[in-house]
Amino acid sequence: MFINFLKVLQGILSNAAILVGLISLVGLIALKKPFSLVLSGTLKTIIGWLILGAGAGVVVGAIGPLGNLFNEVLGIPNAAVPVNEVFSANAQGDPVLGPLIAWTFLGAFIVNIILALITKWKYIYLTGHIILFNSVLTVAMFSLMPGIGNSPVLIVVVSSIISGLAMVVFPAMTAPFMKKIIGSEDFVMGHPGTIAYATSGFLGQFVGDPEDNAEKLKFPDWIGFMREPLVAMGVVSFIIFFIVSLIGLARGVDVNGLLGGQWWLQSIMLALTFAGGIGVILLGVRTVLGEIVPAFRGISDKIVKNSKPALDCPVVFPYAPNALLLGYLSSIVGGVVVMLLQIAIAPALGGVILPSMIVHFFCGGTAGIFGNSTGGWKGAVLGGFINGFMFTMLAGLVYTSLGGLNPAWAGTSFGDTDLGFIGSILAFITSLLK
Amino acid sequence: MIKIGCVCGMGLGSGLLVKMGVDNVLKRAGYKEGTWLAEVLDVSSARQVGIDIYVTTSEFAGGLMDTPAEVVTVLNLFNEKEIEEALLPVYKEVLEKEE
């Protein structure tokens, strides 16, 4: 009987989906929610976690042929589209890493609350999916590090500390700029492009004048579809498939065979399947976080008095929609410049990072808004460019070091600058220890 | 039941902020929990049947204007007072129409 109980306990504690369900359960009970909401909330969290795995499968099916295409046609074996959502969904389904990620997710919350209690940084990080990405990144990186990688407990402890630190230090860096953008000190930025945001906010003052505000410009309407990240992701993936296929055809490569059908039709289908898979993953992340984040907010509000929330980047979008668009577009330019550089001197800069519209839109757009706040439209253009340049560079380094984790996860990695920064540093330490 | 779609780019972080705000505002206004359902949606899948009111920012409102639903836009997604002022009159209207 007792042995069975232990087995049950071990089963629960090593099953990531059940674990996040339990985190949700505890949060909902702590907030004294009615029984029906506790039950449905807990189950929804588990369902969301399982949806994630399904979406990862869809994306992998579309991204595999893209990798083959790059390898066979251009001789580039390590091309990747950095989409945090996809790498995370892959890793969360892993029987070894999955539970560690779930524990770290909880640990990062706790470290955040402790830091907000004892330091002057009273920030509570409410962007749940980024906490998840931080947890995945640190767990993946530390699992590769000699001396730490063989101890699950140690991985969770150090990953929680690093993730928790990132959740207060990075938001603190955005505080001076946020005051300029939103005109109050109600909240700070809780989104992992901070290094690019702060750099563009800082450099903006040297290139332009906030009086030349981007909001005074007028943009054509057709550009509207670019404001839908999923659609833009599909369109740009199609363009990449199409161009590389054309090069392949010109070189006599069997492109139809590589893509599994008529190349032009498959280019459309695979690109849109890629976007669709990301859509499924988003549904999963949304379902997991729908219960956990409100619970975290309720609990932290009770423990940390006069705390300030760190929020997701779209909270600043309404304040400067034109700067958003400028930053988005110039971020693509910055990213493409680095991509060409990565191709030209491969493999000196690590992986070859293809344009990820999600990172360009959210991080590039936000960097544009930060740049605009100190340097007007010129600052916005520079800010976006800086973001595209930085994150593509860092993602290339991170991709190479995460590549060893699981060959089945090839083709994607982490994007945003802060994730790239943390990842590159951990990868560097690992390379020193080896 | 009145369905409220809280829309943002990916349907992750800021949509959830809006949902938390909407839930708090309606609860404070004295509506009974369970008589409304606030759902987080991403901008690409937000246009679906059955949504009565969308709450979003001007950035994403454009694509929702031609739906039969009411569209409420806010500037500061985290400001419950703003959500309250924008949403409550519309919510009352939709509620009356339904009854």
Side-chain angles (χ1 to χ4, degrees), chain A residues 100-123:
Chain A
L100 302 186
I101 291 165
W103 282 115
T104 302
F105 187 53
L106 178 64
F109 277 146
I110 296 170
V111 172
N112 184 183
I113 291 182
I114 294 174
L115 288 173
L117 269 178
I118 61 173
T119 70
K120 60 174 181 169
W121 295 313
K122 304 274 168 224
Y123 304 120

Side-chain angles (χ1 to χ4, degrees), chain A residues 47-60 88-90 92-93 280-281 284:
Chain A
I47 292 170
W49 196 269
L50 298 172
I51 293 175
L52 278 173
V58 176
V59 172
V60 167
S88 301
N90 275 333
Q92 279 160 279
V280 177
I281 293 175

Side-chain angles (χ1 to χ4, degrees), chain A residues 365-379:
Chain A
T366 308
I369 292 171
F370 273 67
N372 183 53
S373 74
T374 56
W377 69 269
K378 287 177 194 162

Side-chain angles (χ1 to χ4, degrees), chain A residues 2-14:
Chain A
F2 182 65
I3 292 177
N4 281 345
F5 174 72
L6 268 186
K7 259 198 178 144
V8 168
L9 194 66
Q10 193 193 16
I12 290 173
L13 297 185
S14 61

Side-chain angles (χ1 to χ4, degrees), chain A residues 16 31 123 160 266 281 290 299 396 403:
Chain A
L31 289 180
Y123 304 120
S160 302
Q266 282 301 92
I281 293 175
I299 292 167

